[in-house]
Amino acid sequence: MLQAANIFFILDSRHSGGLHQDNFKELMRVIHKAEGKTGAPDGARITNSFRLADNNTDGEVDFNELLRFHALYVEP
């Protein structure tokens, strides 16, 4: 998860504290690759993951939402 934290802050180029869906897509792609998985997550999976992660439905995934998403859906 530390790697995801570093990537989060790099992708938050606006320094707003949140990732829009395009930035979240890139985050998921990088994590997917770092985990040694081949290919890239498909668009439907990214969209679904974004909806699950955006807990307050403000259209951004902030760092706390990312931590919650990771704890609930990524790490069993």
Side-chain angles (χ1 to χ4, degrees), residues 21 24-25 28-29 32 38-50:
Q21 191 163 354
F24 184 80
K25 178 181 179 180
M28 295 300 289
R29 187 192 66 75
H32 194 81
T38 58
D42 64 29
R45 182 171 180 193
I46 296 292
T47 299
N48 188 47
S49 294
F50 185 81

Side-chain angles (χ1 to χ4, degrees), residues 1-68:
M1 187 60 199
L2 180 60
Q3 186 175 20
N6 292 333
I7 296 166
F8 179 93
F9 291 110
I10 290 168
L11 291 175
D12 182 18
S13 58
R14 298 174 298 121
H15 306 290
S16 67
L19 301 179
H20 287 284
Q21 191 163 354
D22 287 341
N23 301 112
F24 184 80
K25 178 181 179 180
E26 183 64 15
L27 174 71
M28 295 300 289
R29 187 192 66 75
V30 170
I31 291 170
H32 194 81
K33 187 174 181 180
E35 292 175 344
K37 297 177 182 172
T38 58
D42 64 29
R45 182 171 180 193
I46 296 292
T47 299
N48 188 47
S49 294
F50 185 81
R51 286 185 191 135
L52 290 171
D54 185 15
N55 196 44
N56 64 2
T57 65
D58 67 351
E60 291 187 343
V61 173
D62 65 35
F63 189 66
N64 288 329
E65 288 173 325
L66 178 64
L67 293 176
R68 178 185 170 279

